[in-house]
DNA sequence: GTAATAGTTGACCGGTCGGTCAAGGGGAGC
DNA sequence: GCTCCCCTTGACCGACCGGTCAACTATTAC
């Protein structure tokens, strides 16, 4: 019964790209509605508040990550180390594509929002944290596979290394955004191997 | 001639801490004025716009970094590798102190603003970029010293490694903020040695 | 002392923000 | 074809945003 509509999805799509290329605070409900061709009254039919749209956008980001990274990497036939490498390549692809489309390097869609909003809204912060923990768990599964294949030492603390890899990628994305340099990820990603294959002794950092 | 005042400095101080613990967009001119005990009219006597206060805040951050990191590290008597390690320790100290003071982990004062504003205001973006390039140059000087001391291989691409270290620290700070975990930096910093002492061959990441 | 001036005050402004609502339209299910 | 309900519409709201201004005050340099 009643009529159907894809307005909700359009709002999510437009909010996703507008918030990514600018910021959460800088893009208001009205602008999102305009971009989606939806009247403001309809917006509040679907979402109780701007914050609730943000939650829906985060769900979409989580879904996209699973489809565009997890599934694609899992489909790759090859070694675990190759699959690990593929993660960085997919990221670099995404950054280059969106940079070309928007004219600016925008960093990480989730990381941007996390940095902007984590200290303001604790519910959102927990959501960001859960998303990153999912990513870390995924990276860890690749590292565990690499250990099983003998490409990494048996004693590797895959959880810690996965956390460091995730932080490293996020940092590169943030710096790429700041520098307006989409190529930074391709230049810095290769050094990630050092985080994975830690030197035996650690002369620096007790 | 005319009267003197420290209102300008108070505004910069309050804006620095409020923007750090929340965000640029979330803290308005009025709130900064209230915190500083300054009337809004006075604000615009000192700063033409909110954005100009942001530029002053960034100057202050650059100055603080020189005083609290560069000078303190330079004063350390010991090896270059020890000085490099000290950088991470000072960062961890700062994060823990501000976390205790504010009740939340707030990440990097400059990185937060850079991620929030880089795609919105290109003038600010250039300023952020310049600040990070200064930090990278500083890290590079430590790495060069380590090479000179023989602690790192002569062929080390110190510029690239410095960039990766900076990105890594920024990423950790962002993830610490998201997780609300001030200890993350202490846990992940030791792995930075892997970025510095890259494994000879690079099986992953072509 | 006095004049020139840096700093202060508080009322004020247009615009936009997130959000509300009562009424109306239109397609799906029967 | 009728009914029900999902969706749409557009006018409206109070609050707050960044920013302005003319009058005033306290200094400091001379």
């Amino acid at each position: 019964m009643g009529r159907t509509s894809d307005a909700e999805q359009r709002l999510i799509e437009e909010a996703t790209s507008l918030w990514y290329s600018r910021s959460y605070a800088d893009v208001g409900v009205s602008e999102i509605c305009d971009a989606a061709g939806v009247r403001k009254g309809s917006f509040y039919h679907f979402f109780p508040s701007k914050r609730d749209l943000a939650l829906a956008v985060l769900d979409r980001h989580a879904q996209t990550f699973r489809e565009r990274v997890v599934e694609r990497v899992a489909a790759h036939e090859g070694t675990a180390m190759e699959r690990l490498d593929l993660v960085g390549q997919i990221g670099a692809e995404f950054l280059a594509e969106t940079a070309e489309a928007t004219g600016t390097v925008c960093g990480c869609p989730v990381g941007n929002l996390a940095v902007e909003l984590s200290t303001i809204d604790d519910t959102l912060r927990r959501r960001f944290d859960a998303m990153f923990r999912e990513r870390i768990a995924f990276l860890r599964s690749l590292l565990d596979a690499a250990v099983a294949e003998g490409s990494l030492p048996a004693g590797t603390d895959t959880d810690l290394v996965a956390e460091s890899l995730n932080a490293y990628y996020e940092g590169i994305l943030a710096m790429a955004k700041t520098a307006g340099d989409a190529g930074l990820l391709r230049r810095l990603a290769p050094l990630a191997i050092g985080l994975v294959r830690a030197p035996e002794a650690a002369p620096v950092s007790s």
Side-chain angles (χ1 to χ4, degrees), chain A:
Chain A
M1 303 180 179
R3 56 212 277 204
T4 55
S5 163
D6 63 340
E8 184 174 3
Q9 284 308 311
R10 291 206 311 274
L11 286 167
I12 293 173
E13 303 271 308
E14 293 297 335
T16 299
S17 78
L18 283 169
W19 283 339
Y20 178 47
S21 64
R22 312 246 291 283
S23 79
Y24 178 78
D26 196 49
V27 179
V29 174
S30 302
E31 186 174 353
I32 294 167
C33 289
D34 285 349
V38 170
R39 246 46 61 198
K40 210 196 259 190
S42 284
F43 179 97
Y44 286 96
H45 171 72
F46 294 108
F47 304 100
S49 72
K50 185 186 184 186
R51 219 258 310 243
D52 288 277
L53 174 60
L55 288 167
V57 165
L58 291 181
D59 281 342
R60 197 197 109 113
H61 279 308
Q63 195 55 35
T64 304
F65 182 79
R66 287 180 208 117
E67 289 166 10
R68 301 257 262 267
V69 183
V70 177
E71 287 180 18
R72 201 167 135 198
V73 166
H76 174 82
E77 312 215 342
T79 68
M81 290 302 267
E82 283 170 5
R83 292 204 293 280
L84 206 50
D85 193 37
L86 189 53
V87 174
Q89 285 174 26
I90 292 173
E93 254 174 49
F94 172 79
L95 198 64
E97 277 170 21
T98 55
E100 196 170 354
T102 65
T104 35
V105 183
C106 302
C108 173
V110 178
N112 293 349
L113 294 170
V115 167
E116 181 183 356
L117 302 170
S118 280
T119 53
I120 298 176
D121 186 317
D122 203 60
T123 303
L124 287 176
R125 204 214 88 232
R126 286 169 194 272
R127 192 73 237 287
F128 295 131
D129 190 37
M131 291 176 73
F132 285 124
R133 277 191 278 102
E134 185 180 332
R135 293 188 183 190
I136 290 164
F138 167 67
L139 289 170
R140 190 203 144 127
S141 73
L142 296 179
L143 291 166
D144 283 335
V147 170
E149 287 175 11
S151 303
L152 292 179
T156 304
D157 186 341
T158 54
D159 212 14
L160 192 68
V161 171
E163 269 195 289
S164 76
L165 274 179
N166 181 63
Y168 185 48
Y169 286 137
E170 283 299 318
I172 295 173
L173 256 18
M175 291 303 98
K177 177 178 183 172
T178 303
D181 178 6
L184 193 67
L185 183 48
R186 284 197 204 282
R187 287 201 295 123
L188 293 185
L191 279 73
I193 187 65
L195 294 172
V196 176
R197 273 181 202 284
E200 311 69 36
V204 161
S205 301
S206 61

